[in-house]
Amino acid sequence: VKMYTHPEVVHAVTRRVVDFLVSANTALLRQTAPYLSAGFFGNDLGTQISMMVSLDCFDEFILPSIRRIADTIRQAGLPGAFHSCGAIEPLIPRLIDAGVELLHPLQARARGMDAETLASRYRGRLIFMGGVDTQQLLPFGTPEQVRAEVLRLRGIFGDDFIVSPSHEALLPN
């Protein structure tokens, strides 16, 4: 709401937070980059059925920060890995243009985030991590069904895919 009612406040707070993140990450990456595979950052931008903000708000308030953080990671010699759950397919071209090289997670049941659609649009331009459904398949499927889904995803994405659950945590029932 503040993006509409008080955009100057959102810009000021965001700038302050991102200035800190860039400074802290620059110092951290200077020491740790040789030991890392990627710089991982992000925040959830989508729900199960849509994005949380409009494309216009994303472009004005969020994308510049993603670009700054991705640039910081790239300057350390690492690829940028971005986390966002949800139905964020419309944002993916913008994320790629901002320097994101890996998207986590591929939330299998979110609208527009199915493997076939994403592979047809972004294969070769982005690595996907996730996709093994944690809402239905992993809690209720058989080991054979899980294996079949992993093999299906590998077949769709090839080398542009890192197999993992569609969310980073698997909790006990």
Side-chain angles (χ1 to χ4, degrees):
V1 172
K2 290 269 189 217
M3 292 176 181
Y4 294 102
T5 62
H6 296 87
E8 68 285 350
V9 172
V10 175
H11 282 297
V13 170
T14 302
R15 186 172 39 256
R16 183 84 166 209
V17 169
V18 174
D19 285 349
F20 169 77
L21 289 173
V22 166
S23 175
N25 282 309
T26 298
L28 178 70
L29 291 171
R30 193 175 299 123
Q31 299 297 314
T32 62
Y35 309 103
L36 303 176
S37 299
F40 194 85
F41 70 108
N43 207 333
D44 291 349
L45 299 172
T47 69
Q48 191 77 7
I49 59 172
S50 68
M51 297 180 309
M52 289 186 192
V53 298
S54 70
L55 286 174
D56 288 340
C57 285
F58 176 80
D59 288 345
E60 180 178 347
F61 296 100
I62 301 169
L63 186 59
S65 300
I66 291 171
R67 188 177 314 278
R68 280 189 66 203
I69 295 168
D71 287 347
T72 300
I73 294 167
R74 191 172 31 262
Q75 288 168 5
L78 296 169
F82 188 79
H83 168 87
S84 176
C85 293
I88 62 161
E89 192 281 328
L91 303 179
I92 293 175
R94 289 165 164 82
L95 294 173
I96 293 168
D97 290 343
V100 170
E101 297 178 57
L102 182 146
L103 181 61
H104 171 267
L106 164 54
Q107 188 174 339
R109 294 186 164 269
R111 183 178 291 158
M113 297 297 287
D114 59 281
E116 294 83 4
T117 298
L118 296 176
S120 71
R121 293 181 183 164
Y122 307 109
R123 188 171 179 184
R125 298 174 54 205
L126 189 65
I127 303 294
F128 289 94
M129 180 177 179
V132 181
D133 175 38
T134 57
Q135 292 174 295
Q136 294 295 321
L137 179 63
L138 288 177
F140 305 114
T142 65
E144 294 77 22
Q145 290 169 320
V146 173
R147 179 184 306 278
E149 178 63 0
V150 168
L151 293 173
R152 185 186 78 84
L153 292 168
R154 290 288 301 163
I156 291 169
F157 286 108
D159 291 337
D160 294 341
F161 182 63
I162 299 171
V163 176
S164 75
S166 61
H167 288 83
E168 54 278 347
L170 294 176
L171 302 175
N173 288 345

